[in-house]
Amino acid sequence: REREGGRGEGTVSSFLFEYETPRQVLVRNRRVGIACRLIQLGVLGYIIGWVFIYEKGYQNEDTAIYSVFTKMKGVAYTQISGVEKVWDVSDYAFPDQGGDSFVVMTNFIITFGQTQSKCPELLSPSLLLITPFLPGHMTGKCVNTTHTCEIVTWCPVEDDRQIPNPPCLLAAENFTLFIKNSITFPEFKVDRSNLVESVDASYIKRCLYHPATDPLCPIFKLGDIVRLSGFNFTEVARVGGSIGVLIDWECDLDYSIQNCKPKYKFHGLYGSGTTGQASVGYNFRKANYYVEDKVQKRTLMKVFGLRIEVIVHGLARKFDIIPTLTAIGSGVGIFGVATVVCDLMLLHLLPKRNLYKNMKFKYTEILDGVSVPRQM
């Protein structure tokens, strides 16, 4: 029992007061040495080039909270069937609240004086088949003059088989769009607007966005937006389409706040499409109701237009010691790959691998309580 007690105390003493360290062996081998240095050089290049320079691993990141306000300006003149009309922003912009998503009408089909009554349906564009999607309720009667069925609906039935070409509001190409964007980075307590320091009152009265000469001007010509998104204005104005206006904020707050400026990018989301495509363009219908001679009537308008989506992407970075130390620690850990690869070469691939195993590892056997070294 006394011996068992002494052994227990020795174990505790060894655990508390003894230190073990890995055995290191210096190997002079050109192939292994060159392989080790190449791997370490590659790891160092990864840490400096990718982690710190490209990914900016020494900085903390924050995404933006933003708001967008838009305003359209411009007028268009039309003369259709002898009727003259001037269209202003209240007529061609939907909705008119000035949000980040809206439609600018560029073409339309108007059906005047519709009433709830009975009338013949229209033939399909081929003039041979009846349109499968009826705009009303069938009465079961046939109309001999049109060779179609009689339906109960808003009469006369809208005829949208021929879309006006050229577009009715081709002048929309010269309409202008003003975008006001404000962002904040709550993590860094930074607020910015696309009306940056160089965009003052005098400049904004005379500027028009151009990617080379006026990249910070927040006023855009609709035709330029369509062109920069990759569409042809006449084609997309005829049937409608959708365009994304991206306001991109990439801010490095380690430098002056005045360097935090927006970049505008334009993307055609969908437009005129290709011949034979099932669904082309963008359109919707709106109706204006009124009463005439105690009969409810309406004017139906099928609107073709450009749907503008203003999208904001904001990302700010700033130096922070925590991600810096994390990146450095990860890099130091990756250096261990060189040791693993070189050990595999020494122990399994080189001709003198058994000699290296004896040098690297020490095996012992316990004989009557005495540790005796053993060679492999």
Side-chain angles (χ1 to χ4, degrees), residues 281-351:
Y282 174 80
N283 64 78
F284 64 93
R285 289 174 173 85
K286 65 184 294 291
N288 295 322
Y289 295 86
Y290 60 96
V291 176
E292 185 179 272
D293 298 330
K294 297 183 180 181
V295 178
Q296 186 184 39
K297 296 184 177 182
R298 76 177 188 181
T299 298
L300 180 65
M301 178 179 287
K302 183 175 182 178
V303 176
F304 302 87
L306 295 175
R307 185 179 184 91
I308 308 294
E309 304 280 351
V310 182
I311 307 164
V312 180
H313 171 262
L315 180 65
R317 295 185 175 94
K318 193 174 184 179
F319 174 78
D320 194 321
I321 190 62
I322 294 177
T324 302
L325 294 177
T326 302
I328 294 174
S330 300
V332 172
I334 298 175
F335 268 102
V337 173
T339 302
V340 173
V341 173
C342 293
D343 280 350
L344 290 175
M345 293 177 61
L346 288 170
L347 300 176
H348 301 284
L349 300 179
L350 296 183

Side-chain angles (χ1 to χ4, degrees), residues 240-309:
S242 180
I243 293 176
V245 179
L246 174 63
I247 306 177
D248 191 16
W249 296 84
E250 291 282 348
C251 300
D252 190 339
L253 300 181
D254 290 333
Y255 299 94
S256 172
I257 191 65
Q258 295 184 1
N259 293 325
C260 183
K261 299 177 182 179
K263 293 181 180 179
Y264 300 98
K265 302 176 182 178
F266 308 91
H267 302 276
L269 304 181
Y270 60 87
S272 56
T274 58
T275 304
Q277 189 173 343
S279 179
V280 176
Y282 174 80
N283 64 78
F284 64 93
R285 289 174 173 85
K286 65 184 294 291
N288 295 322
Y289 295 86
Y290 60 96
V291 176
E292 185 179 272
D293 298 330
K294 297 183 180 181
V295 178
Q296 186 184 39
K297 296 184 177 182
R298 76 177 188 181
T299 298
L300 180 65
M301 178 179 287
K302 183 175 182 178
V303 176
F304 302 87
L306 295 175
R307 185 179 184 91
I308 308 294
E309 304 280 351

Side-chain angles (χ1 to χ4, degrees), residues 22 36 51 70 84 111 128 219 232 243 282 287 299 310 333 348:
C36 180
V51 176
T70 58
E84 296 180 299
T111 306
L128 296 174
I219 301 176
N232 178 279
I243 293 176
Y282 174 80
T299 298
V310 182
H348 301 284

Side-chain angles (χ1 to χ4, degrees), residues 69 89 91 104 138 143 264 270-271 284 331:
F69 166 80
V89 65
D91 300 316
V104 179
M138 297 182 66
V143 181
Y264 300 98
Y270 60 87
F284 64 93

Side-chain angles (χ1 to χ4, degrees), residues 151-204:
I151 57 176
V152 178
T153 185
W154 285 96
C155 298
V157 176
E158 176 191 64
D159 186 358
D160 61 349
R161 292 173 295 182
Q162 294 293 330
I163 301 174
N165 190 22
C168 299
L169 296 184
L170 194 57
E173 185 175 7
N174 295 316
F175 293 169
T176 59
L177 169 64
F178 170 66
I179 301 178
K180 186 176 181 180
N181 170 224
S182 299
I183 65 168
T184 181
F185 297 104
E187 178 74 18
F188 306 126
K189 297 180 174 59
V190 172
D191 300 323
R192 293 292 285 169
S193 168
N194 66 330
L195 306 181
V196 295
E197 290 77 11
S198 59
V199 182
D200 54 20
S202 61
Y203 174 75
I204 205 172

Side-chain angles (χ1 to χ4, degrees), residues 221-234 236 243 306:
K221 196 167 80 170
L222 193 59
D224 292 339
I225 293 177
V226 174
R227 178 178 56 82
L228 292 171
S229 67
F231 289 149
N232 178 279
F233 186 85
T234 302
V236 76
I243 293 176
L306 295 175

